Amino acid sequence: MVAVNRADDGAAGGMRTIFDSAYTQKQNVSDFIDAIDPRDIPLLSMLGMGSEAGTAVAGADSLAFPCINPTHTWQSDELIPSKATLTGADSGSPYTTVTVGTTAINYFNIGDLVELNGTYGEISAVNTSGGAFTIVQADGSASLAANAVGDVVYNLGSLRFDGAAFTTVYSSTDLSSASNYTQIFHDAVSVSGTSEATEKFGITNEFDREFAKKFQEVVIKLERAAHYGLANSLPSDNTDLTNVRRMGGLFSYIRNDATANLQDASSAKLTEKLLVDCLQDIWDDGGNPDTILVNATQKRVLSSFASPYVRTDRNENALGVIVGTYESEFGNLDIVLDRYVKPADLIIVQKEYLGIGALKGNGNDRSFFTTPVPVDGDRQIATITGEYTMEVRNATKAHGWIHSLSTTLS
């Protein structure tokens, strides 16, 4: 072990080893995130980790639920749906049986007024185990219409007489839960004594320069994981790197879930219809998307949608269209130019249901920190470490993904 003498004003100061706290104490460096150009971390900036994130907070934590465990779990709740898709068809006239499945049946009660294929019926009996209810004609003018698998039945509320006692069977939806995992992001900086002693134009501290570069590289890897990370649970051991714990990103919870709002472009060019179809799917599920994440290629196509309709009072002798907001029938969506979205993808999200943050259990904050490494040669070494996870709440309803787009512009 190497030791150095220390003296203060000629008095013996004792001995201090290089492993004393001054050399090994870890330092939180998450505030360095605010020094990174937000264009290099567009998704993290949108979620509060960049200097253009509204009210910038260094190393901001936008998780709705605190992450206190490597398996991070959050809960989602939903309103009782006022419609259901038929899972079975009535076998014949007078079409009084409506089959909606054993889950949706719990949201219909005797006395409810329903509309199905233009005719109205009152629920007279409910078969919970069979996932079906019986209706009687309720409009007095038209016979009940035939129904088939895939038809939609709408619940228009419970019918009751003035002053009648409350007899409705009350129902509710159960809280659902989803999980992600924390992932350790780690790298190291090493600068030799010779390099530190060599003067370079405009550089006063070689180690600080290398540290700033390395920190940015690590944060960009977190940014990429937030886009395309595929969740993997706790490893069975610590020897198989192919099975190490990792966090899932947008890809894991939207693109990789067949029940999510997905649109397959089948190598076709992005069209406004394709985009609006995806927005409608999200809206039909109760979502209110507000942001489009898109790469440069698809951003140019999006801009072309608006070109014939742009009006400007600018007097400059300049041509061109910049589209920062897309106005649709389903609301206005910010368009974020995102270099980490793959050229064949377009991602639609509702920001309030996204979050990212560090593991912070037992009072320990695993936001990015640096730890000096004991010297083992003529060099200065420090590590950069952070452990983060991501929430993608209401993943199959509030967000959407258009994939397999053409990347050829014509």
Side-chain angles (χ1 to χ4, degrees), residues 32-42 45 50-52 216 339:
F32 275 71
I33 293 175
D34 283 345
I36 297 176
D37 190 329
R39 291 171 297 183
D40 286 331
I41 51 170
S45 294
S51 58
E52 291 186 359
Q216 183 165 349
R339 69 176 82 245

Side-chain angles (χ1 to χ4, degrees), residues 215-228:
F215 183 79
Q216 183 165 349
E217 292 168 4
V218 175
V219 175
I220 287 175
K221 290 172 183 176
L222 172 60
E223 170 84 11
R224 287 193 180 277
H227 283 79
Y228 287 98

Side-chain angles (χ1 to χ4, degrees), residues 84-101 105 108 114-117 119-137 143-153:
T85 301
L86 271 60
T87 59
D90 199 333
S91 58
S93 181
Y95 310 115
T96 58
T97 300
V98 180
T99 304
V100 294
I105 193 63
F108 292 89
V114 298
E115 186 271 324
L116 177 59
N117 294 333
T119 59
Y120 296 83
E122 179 188 356
I123 298 179
S124 58
V126 176
N127 180 359
T128 304
S129 61
F133 56 79
T134 303
I135 57 176
V136 294
Q137 189 174 332
S143 300
L144 294 169
N147 59 70
V149 174
D151 289 346
V152 178
V153 57

Side-chain angles (χ1 to χ4, degrees), residues 41-50 53 291 293 336 349 351 354:
I41 51 170
L43 181 54
L44 297 185
S45 294
M46 188 178 77
L47 298 181
M49 297 183 75
T291 305
L293 303 174
V336 177
V349 298
K351 292 196 297 285
L354 301 178

Side-chain angles (χ1 to χ4, degrees), residues 219-252:
V219 175
I220 287 175
K221 290 172 183 176
L222 172 60
E223 170 84 11
R224 287 193 180 277
H227 283 79
Y228 287 98
L230 185 62
N232 190 54
S233 61
L234 295 172
S236 56
D237 56 52
N238 284 321
T239 60
D240 182 7
L241 285 177
T242 63
N243 191 35
V244 74
R245 184 180 68 245
R246 58 180 184 259
M247 85 174 198
L250 298 176
F251 177 88
S252 190

